[in-house]
Amino acid sequence: MESSSAETGALMCNSLDAGDGCVMHQLLQRCRRSEEHDNMLKKIETSEEEMSDEASLLNINTNRNQDKGRKSHIQSKKKSSSGYISKHDITHQEEEEAFVQGSRHMIMLFVPVTLCMIVVVATIASVSYYSETNVYFVYTPFHDKTEDTTTIVWQSTANAMILLCLIIVMTLVLLTLYTFRFYKIINGWLMIASVILLFFFGFVYLQQILRAFNVPMDYITVSLLLWNFGVGGIFCIHWKGPLLLQQAYLIVISAFVALTFIKHMPEWTTWAMLGVLVIWDLFAVLYPKGPLRLLVETAQQRNEPTFPFPALIYSSTMLWQITVADSDQTELDKKQNLPNKSGERESRPLPAASGEFSAQGTTSRSAGAAQPPLNRSPMPAAGAQLPSTSAQIQSAGAHMPLLATDASASRNEEKMSELNVMSKQDFPRDVASLMDSSDVDALDSPFMAKTSFESDVDDLNELGDGSPTDPPAVTSKKPKQQQSKSAHLLHHRHSRPSTKPSHTDRSKSVTDDKEDRGVKLGLGDFVFYGVLVGKASAKGDWNTTIACFVAILIGLCCTLLLLAIFRKALPALPISLTFGLVFNFATSILVKPFMESLASEQVYI
Amino acid sequence: MTLMEFFGCTFIAFGLPFALFIFTIARDPMRVIVLIASAFFWLMSLLLSSILWYAVVPLRDKLAFGLVFSVIFQECFRFLFYKTLRRADEGLLKVSLQNTSQHVTPKDFLNQHIMAYVSGLGFGVIAGAFSIINVLADMSGPGTIGIMGDSKYFFWTSAFLTLCFILLHTVWSVVFFAALDKKNYSIVACVVATHMMVSCLTLLNQRSSEEHSIVYLGSIIPSYVCLFVMTALAFNAAGGSFTNLKVAFACRKGRYEID
């Protein structure tokens, strides 16, 4: 059985890469390609265009296959497992599934959002430094201490407008840089921003914490701590590191920025700015010519995977845009405790980081083995979705839309181009990536992307069932498994004898790839959630804080639900911030006196 | 000392609910979402009752007025949440039956009491948090209780009453949902009535003072009696019986699992 399956796989590979022939050839080709990286980018673009027609066809295919697969897999009572299924039926089912899947994604965002808020609130509660404003941002020139309502209104509106202009300018700068492919500049910008955040803000934070708890500490220790903290952060965010650590750093950075906003902005300006941001976020993400939307679209047109700049987006699963291959591997190591993996990883050259490759961890990994490490500048391209820059975060308020994997059409294009690349490479891994891309397609909704925590063979099966690109290969789960197995066998033979990826390995990386397209949340969203909750808690009423917290989470829930329905990049701020603002003011004005009198009289409702 | 009191009262009030959350809810994303959603519903009911309390200026210092309407609003929102949940269930049940590999297990929807329990806990936790968290913040010091002639059991009572209300909300929801499922409206009325009764009993606490700490027993004892009665009702509504109970105490694997 095994051998036959392997043969099938090999055959498939061959048929896929019919044009190219032997692996050596492809290796050579790949090397060449790495030198002519730019050329390749162009090639891909053109191929994408060529494929766009086919893509739409494929899309239909996908849906049908997916449906078929699912039905046969679960043997549901519904009939007509073959044949055409009405579009309505498909979307209905997809929505339901998306909803179920969505719950897990919600939690994966709830946890970091909650942690970020807890850090901010705990700091506000224990360190008075952050709740008293005496130095103001340059951007908020109007900060008279007055009780006069008119003055407060016009001053806070003016401040908010200045901040908004700053945000717009920064977004446009990023958009321009991105449009003209100044990836290095963007990367440098983000790098500098994170260095400043980690070192300077980290220092201020540490200083204030020590001061608040009256702990003496010498400068040598402090500098050692800071150095380790900062360099570790830079590594984790911009290069590679454990996933948890990276997520933790992103949360901490968001909390720092939120605290800075809370400290340096006049009270009413903060509220006005949050209100203005709601509108701006709606506009920038949803309006056809909105800058953030343009960013997202540009990225899709370029076929760059939906990865953002790592420093700007929190992703529930993988964050190493640059080193997806490694992260893949790390995950595997973690999950399967394969000891030989880590050694292998070390020995592996830096993964080549073209956007196309990163779309499939496996491919990039194998590519990395063959290619000299590439300059990773193309990577950030992935960040197209990032609506904002860290500079913005730092200074004014970056907010990014909640990202979803996008419309199937663009996905298809993406996939097609991937296919293209791969078939040229003629690498055994291609089969896997093929499956991957098809999976991705099958999983149009963001929620459909599975999380790594749950990836298992079942996922693979489902995915395989949906594969449109190679219908004969993937109509049922069996063939899929065989295929993947054979793929890894081939791969094993040719490129990396030391690895012994198991069948599950294969499936895992496939699912991981798919997961990369899971739900992402801009750090800006974290920042402004933190600002809202922190500002609410700065008044010293815990009820308001809790109300804001629950309201924001519910808002996030609603946004994610909408994400499942619309399946395109959505702004995460509007619903949450609106709920948060409403509940903040309602609680502090109406509920607080009521609850206070109840609590002081010990009356329970 | 204040810190000890703070932690003691925190653990009294939230220790048990926290354990419930960790062991029965935290691992299931769907339950966490339902928990938060129900908390949000409670928040809405509180907001409504606050608006009413705030709007009716002449009665603003009569807590009984706000309390009665608050209880009514809470029960209304419990009913609304029931409606929402049942509507969502239909779709979810279908999906979860189809997708056995999904994380959401069908049992959550097949066994209606699980979601009832989760939403009840959500109601309870948010209600408890709102009623005690500012007291807890004051508790951590600086200062001391009882100097101005108040009872020294003030915090202690608050913590125990909060715990009682969190648990009561939980069992109320289970009973309430089960009764609505069976269209047994007398039980529904019973839930509303007990809620009203226990809440009104806590009005007695206003009379406590340094010499009259005993007053607290007048609200605590009936509340806990009510809690036990309602727990028994909920246990029964969820399909429990005396035999089940005996079986549960036998040593076997997985006996603490809920399903």
Side-chain angles (χ1 to χ4, degrees):
Chain A
M1 182 61 201
E2 285 231 340
S3 63
S4 73
S5 68
E7 274 169 31
T8 331
L11 277 176
M12 275 170 208
C13 287
N14 285 337
S15 65
L16 284 174
D17 326 314
D20 284 53
C22 77
V23 172
M24 278 310 289
H25 181 186
Q26 281 105 41
L27 286 179
L28 284 174
Q29 206 183 12
R30 198 172 301 114
C31 291
R32 218 186 308 143
R33 201 177 293 129
S34 70
E35 287 158 18
E36 312 164 347
H37 188 257
D38 285 348
N39 287 349
M40 187 174 65
L41 273 177
K42 280 170 201 158
K43 227 188 288 176
I44 289 155
E45 268 169 30
T46 52
S47 68
E48 170 197 343
E49 283 162 24
E50 287 164 18
M51 293 297 183
S52 59
D53 284 354
E54 274 172 66
S56 56
L57 279 178
L58 275 176
N59 190 27
I60 294 164
N61 243 348
T62 320
N63 283 338
R64 197 175 52 211
N65 278 343
Q66 178 193 4
D67 214 61
K68 202 197 294 181
R70 193 193 308 145
K71 285 192 172 162
S72 61
H73 178 48
I74 33 180
Q75 293 160 355
S76 77
K77 286 166 204 162
K78 288 195 181 176
K79 50 182 178 178
S80 87
S81 63
S82 66
Y84 183 74
I85 290 179
S86 76
K87 201 186 171 192
H88 174 76
D89 193 13
I90 291 163
T91 49
H92 187 60
Q93 285 193 0
E94 277 175 359
E95 268 164 30
E96 283 173 352
E97 204 166 284
F99 185 71
V100 176
Q101 292 271 343
S103 64
R104 199 172 41 248
H105 282 269
M106 284 182 198
I107 296 306
M108 293 174 76
L109 285 185
F110 277 8
V111 173
V113 167
T114 309
L115 284 177
C116 180
M117 290 187 204
I118 287 177
V119 172
V120 172
V121 170
T123 313
I124 294 280
S126 53
V127 184
S128 60
Y129 169 82
Y130 283 105
S131 45
E132 47 196 41
T133 311
N134 35 34
V135 182
Y136 294 92
F137 274 140
V138 194
Y139 322 113
T140 58
F142 310 108
H143 43 74
D144 294 346
K145 290 213 187 294
T146 169
E147 293 299 310
D148 181 26
T149 316
T150 335
T151 321
I152 290 178
V153 168
W154 79 257
Q155 286 196 344
S156 51
T157 318
N159 285 336
M161 284 304 158
I162 294 172
L163 282 170
L164 180 65
C165 290
L166 192 72
I167 292 174
I168 294 176
V169 169
M170 288 303 182
T171 314
L172 290 182
V173 168
L174 179 69
L175 182 61
T176 323
L177 287 178
Y178 184 69
T179 315
F180 295 105
R181 296 175 190 276
F182 292 130
Y183 294 145
K184 280 188 183 166
I185 298 183
I186 300 179
N187 240 2
W189 182 6
L190 295 183
M191 200 78 110
I192 291 170
S194 41
V195 167
I196 293 173
L197 273 172
L198 287 169
F199 284 102
F200 182 67
F201 287 37
F203 174 69
V204 173
Y205 187 79
L206 184 63
Q207 195 184 23
Q208 295 307 325
I209 291 281
L210 292 178
R211 197 168 285 175
F213 290 100
N214 207 12
V215 182
M217 193 180 275
D218 58 303
Y219 272 101
I220 299 169
T221 317
V222 168
S223 54
L224 259 178
L225 280 180
L226 263 185
W227 177 255
N228 282 295
F229 172 76
V231 173
I234 301 291
F235 264 62
C236 284
I237 294 169
H238 292 280
W239 196 37
K240 54 183 165 184
L243 177 64
L244 262 182
L245 207 55
Q246 185 183 24
Q247 291 176 335
Y249 269 112
L250 288 177
I251 293 172
V252 165
I253 282 185
S254 313
F256 282 174
V257 178
L259 285 171
T260 317
F261 274 130
I262 294 171
K263 167 140 181 83
H264 293 297
M265 276 209 275
E267 158 139 26
W268 283 98
T269 301
T270 317
W271 300 121
M273 192 194 67
L274 290 176
V276 168
L277 270 176
V278 168
I279 298 161
W280 162 249
D281 207 20
L282 272 178
F283 165 79
V285 181
L286 295 181
Y287 184 67
K289 296 279 177 211
L292 301 189
R293 180 161 174 165
L294 284 181
L295 264 180
V296 173
E297 281 171 0
T298 318
Q300 281 162 4
Q301 276 169 13
R302 286 186 193 172
N303 251 328
E304 275 150 0
T306 48
F307 290 123
F309 300 92
L312 284 182
I313 291 229
Y314 179 94
S315 164
S316 53
T317 48
M318 289 304 138
L319 264 182
W320 291 278
Q321 282 75 36
I322 294 151
T323 56
V324 172
D326 295 67
S327 63
D328 240 359
Q329 206 64 35
T330 330
E331 280 292 300
L332 292 179
D333 292 345
K334 219 190 306 176
K335 283 182 221 154
Q336 312 198 340
N337 297 324
L338 294 180
N340 58 341
K341 282 284 170 84
S342 54
E344 178 205 336
R345 191 174 20 160
E346 279 159 25
S347 65
R348 198 182 322 139
L350 270 186
S354 81
E356 297 74 18
F357 285 151
S358 69
Q360 313 99 8
T362 51
T363 323
S364 66
R365 198 191 306 152
S366 49
Q371 286 173 324
L374 274 187
N375 172 348
R376 67 177 187 196
S377 57
M379 242 356 245
Q385 286 171 342
L386 307 184
S388 69
T389 66
S390 64
Q392 265 173 296
I393 289 188
Q394 195 185 327
S395 60
H399 54 285
M400 296 129 208
L402 186 62
L403 297 176
T405 46
D406 292 298
S408 53
S410 61
R411 185 81 57 69
N412 265 318
E413 289 171 15
E414 198 175 300
K415 171 190 61 191
M416 286 312 297
S417 63
E418 282 166 15
L419 277 178
N420 231 19
V421 174
M422 312 218 119
S423 59
K424 277 176 202 149
Q425 288 175 346
D426 188 84
F427 213 64
R429 288 274 181 173
D430 295 359
V431 180
S433 54
L434 242 186
M435 302 188 315
D436 161 35
S437 53
S438 60
D439 302 345
V440 170
D441 236 59
L443 306 171
D444 263 344
S445 112
F447 286 161
M448 312 285 273
K450 305 241 163 95
T451 61
S452 52
F453 306 110
E454 222 197 274
S455 57
D456 53 11
V457 185
D458 274 19
D459 286 358
L460 177 64
N461 299 337
E462 282 179 27
L463 299 176
D465 297 344
S467 161
T469 47
D470 194 4
V474 284
T475 42
S476 78
K477 67 182 199 177
K478 259 280 151 58
K480 165 113 315 186
Q481 287 171 359
Q482 296 165 353
Q483 194 182 358
S484 59
K485 186 168 281 182
S486 61
H488 94 67
L489 282 176
L490 280 173
H491 166 74
H492 175 62
R493 175 151 35 98
H494 291 305
S495 62
R496 204 175 309 143
S498 66
T499 345
K500 301 218 184 267
S502 65
H503 162 67
T504 36
D505 249 309
R506 210 30 295 120
S507 69
K508 283 234 164 132
S509 60
V510 170
T511 46
D512 280 351
D513 298 340
K514 177 190 41 170
E515 287 148 19
D516 289 342
R517 294 156 196 263
V519 183
K520 299 181 176 67
L521 192 64
L523 285 200
D525 300 320
F526 280 84
V527 169
F528 289 110
Y529 295 161
V531 170
L532 180 59
V533 176
K535 206 68 192 169
S537 74
K539 280 180 281 185
D541 179 33
W542 287 94
N543 284 349
T544 317
T545 316
I546 295 178
C548 280
F549 169 71
V550 173
I552 285 178
L553 284 192
I554 287 292
L556 197 55
C557 253
C558 293
T559 314
L560 289 169
L561 275 182
L562 290 180
L563 194 63
I565 295 168
F566 291 113
R567 290 167 202 178
K568 59 178 194 172
L570 284 182
L573 287 180
I575 303 180
S576 287
L577 281 196
T578 314
F579 275 18
L581 285 173
V582 166
F583 271 87
N584 172 57
F585 287 110
T587 311
S588 58
I589 295 169
L590 301 171
V591 177
K592 187 185 161 203
F594 185 49
M595 287 315 288
E596 265 181 357
S597 52
L598 285 181
S600 63
E601 302 295 337
Q602 290 182 296
V603 176
Y604 283 74
I605 54 170
Chain B
M1 184 62 197
T2 51
L3 203 62
M4 278 195 272
E5 188 162 30
F6 167 79
F7 278 112
C9 288
T10 310
F11 293 146
I12 288 173
F14 293 109
L16 192 48
F18 184 70
L20 287 176
F21 175 79
I22 291 296
F23 288 116
T24 62
I25 292 177
R27 270 182 295 175
D28 190 330
M30 204 66 208
R31 292 183 195 173
V32 177
I33 289 170
V34 170
L35 186 87
I36 295 173
S38 65
F40 188 70
F41 270 68
W42 188 87
L43 218 53
M44 305 264 278
S45 78
L46 178 68
L47 188 58
L48 273 186
S49 33
S50 299
I51 290 173
L52 187 74
W53 173 81
Y54 199 79
V56 185
V57 181
L59 292 177
R60 212 180 276 181
D61 47 358
K62 296 266 186 279
L63 280 177
F65 165 77
L67 178 139
V68 167
F69 278 93
S70 178
V71 169
I72 292 171
F73 280 129
Q74 283 178 65
E75 295 304 327
C76 288
F77 272 86
R78 204 195 297 275
F79 178 72
L80 278 182
F81 194 72
Y82 166 81
K83 279 291 180 197
T84 318
L85 210 56
R86 286 295 175 262
R87 192 157 298 171
D89 270 4
E90 291 165 16
L92 289 176
L93 180 57
K94 206 161 52 180
V95 181
S96 54
L97 282 180
Q98 280 176 8
N99 290 300
T100 46
S101 65
Q102 303 306 333
H103 189 84
V104 176
T105 47
K107 74 179 180 191
D108 273 22
F109 305 103
L110 288 177
N111 186 343
Q112 307 280 18
H113 306 295
I114 292 183
M115 281 305 163
Y117 156 75
V118 173
S119 62
L121 193 63
F123 260 66
V125 167
I126 191 83
F130 260 71
S131 43
I132 205 178
I133 193 148
N134 278 324
V135 180
L136 283 178
D138 293 340
M139 216 179 279
S140 58
T144 184
I145 191 71
I147 280 186
M148 307 299 284
D150 289 317
S151 167
K152 57 182 173 179
Y153 296 111
F154 184 92
F155 291 148
W156 188 84
T157 336
S158 286
F160 270 104
L161 276 175
T162 305
L163 172 66
C164 184
F165 267 80
I166 294 175
L167 297 178
L168 268 174
H169 270 293
T170 313
V171 292
W172 275 332
S173 272
V174 175
V175 174
F176 190 86
F177 283 29
L180 279 178
D181 277 339
K182 289 176 190 153
K183 306 210 182 304
N184 193 347
Y185 297 111
S186 57
I187 304 278
V188 176
C190 166
V191 168
V192 180
T194 43
H195 189 176
M196 192 73 85
M197 183 194 81
V198 177
S199 284
C200 289
L201 273 176
T202 57
L203 283 171
L204 284 178
N205 291 340
Q206 295 177 62
R207 295 170 179 274
S208 66
S209 68
E210 201 176 357
E211 297 87 36
H212 296 95
S213 297
I214 198 89
V215 174
Y216 284 133
L217 291 181
S219 59
I220 288 184
I221 291 176
S223 304
Y224 273 90
V225 168
C226 187
L227 173 63
F228 282 113
V229 172
M230 292 312 289
T231 309
L233 269 182
F235 185 64
N236 187 40
S241 65
F242 217 65
T243 339
N244 292 111
L245 207 58
K246 275 193 285 184
V247 173
F249 279 104
C251 241
R252 63 188 168 82
K253 201 175 169 233
R255 63 178 159 147
Y256 295 120
E257 283 173 3
I258 288 194
D259 70 14

